[in-house]
Amino acid sequence: MHFTTYDAPQVAADYTTIAEKSPFVYGLTNYIAANLSANVVLAAGAGPAIGAGADWTSTFPATAQGVWINTATVISNSESEIRTAAQTAHRAGTPWVLDPVAAGSAPEYDSLVKSLLAFRPTVIRGNASELVALAGGEGQGRGVETTLNSDQAVGHIEQLARDTGAVVAVSGPTDYITDGTATVAVTGGDRRLTQVTGAGCSLGALTAAAVAAVEDPLRATVASHAAFARAAEIAAQTVGPHGGTGSFAVALVDGLHTLANADN
């Protein structure tokens, strides 16, 4: 296992490639996370579109450079729309990110989540409970929250990566990203990330922007997670140890923008 942070030159260079290429990324996400996700993508230098308006799910994934699907979008979009977006991205060869929010929570919902694996996501990212459940283990999630630590999910995500051919990333105090052969641990961040609604969901959006800009999906996913962790540290410095989570969320977006424009 290799440990890294945003300080690694390749990692920082991969993240700033997003702003250099300014890809168009399309996402389906829940309405709770949509605003933060869009702002995170914009802060990184990419251009987002979110939602299933008109025939977007059958057209945008084919014209975008990256796609993300947060399965909690089922609260406002149909299962058919979700599958259409995944299928369109797959057929077009557009790299896409699956965020299996609340996987393991209910049999019918899990059937939808697992059906999306047939469309070969480029990256699967989530919390430990979600990914352990998706890998066939006992995730023990509590709604959309994890009860497991990211360290406990490493073996499961490595197997899930081998089974699906996707890069798999689990978030936690330490993030782990694997292609089933190589596993990278990303350290850093701030505890207040767990207290901002949609933070994990927006990391899925950022990862879609990264895979749209960086050809190697493992490197792209490492870069998005490392940049997110460093932006959280910047936010913590900005608001101080006693700063509220509302101001922290704003400072997080500012931190991603600062990193993306570090050479300007």
Side-chain angles (χ1 to χ4, degrees):
M1 184 180 295
H2 172 63
F3 284 78
T4 195
T5 68
Y6 192 79
D7 292 328
Q10 186 65 69
V11 173
D14 285 339
Y15 176 68
T16 56
T17 298
I18 299 172
E20 292 168 7
K21 294 188 176 180
S22 190
F24 164 48
V25 291
Y26 171 64
L28 289 180
T29 191
N30 63 84
Y31 57 78
I32 299 166
N35 183 68
L36 181 59
S37 296
N39 283 328
V40 161
V41 170
L42 286 166
I50 296 175
D55 57 352
W56 287 10
T57 59
S58 61
T59 55
F60 280 11
T63 57
Q65 284 77 58
V67 170
W68 82 96
I69 297 175
N70 173 325
T71 53
T73 193
V74 74
I75 64 179
S76 52
N77 299 122
S78 69
E79 292 188 13
S80 175
E81 288 170 325
I82 296 167
R83 290 194 181 95
T84 295
Q87 182 180 58
T88 302
H90 175 58
R91 287 180 174 175
T94 306
W96 73 280
V97 177
L98 172 62
D99 189 345
V101 172
S105 63
E108 185 174 345
Y109 177 70
D110 286 351
S111 178
L112 165 66
V113 174
K114 291 178 180 179
S115 74
L116 298 176
L117 297 178
F119 303 116
R120 304 299 299 271
T122 309
V123 179
I124 303 169
R125 64 130 270 110
N127 66 38
S129 287
E130 293 162 350
L131 295 179
V132 169
L134 191 58
E138 293 293 328
Q140 305 170 35
R142 185 178 59 201
V144 299
E145 302 298 331
T146 186
T147 62
L148 301 178
N149 190 284
S150 55
D151 295 345
Q152 297 172 275
V154 174
H156 291 86
I157 68 169
E158 290 174 339
Q159 187 59 54
L160 183 60
R162 289 190 287 268
D163 290 343
T164 63
V167 168
V168 182
V170 60
S171 298
T174 298
D175 297 342
Y176 296 95
I177 301 100
T178 184
D179 61 5
T181 301
T183 300
V184 181
V186 174
T187 57
D190 187 86
R191 62 177 177 78
R192 279 166 287 191
L193 282 173
T194 64
Q195 299 170 317
V196 173
T197 299
C201 299
S202 67
L203 179 52
L206 182 62
T207 302
V211 297
V214 178
E215 187 173 347
D216 183 327
L218 181 63
R219 276 177 37 193
T221 306
V222 169
S224 64
H225 284 67
F228 206 72
R230 178 52 53 83
E233 293 168 351
I234 293 171
Q237 293 171 357
T238 300
V239 304
H242 304 296
T245 54
S247 54
F248 177 84
V250 173
L252 174 69
V253 175
D254 288 346
L256 288 167
H257 180 268
T258 297
L259 294 175
N261 294 275
D263 295 330
N264 294 338

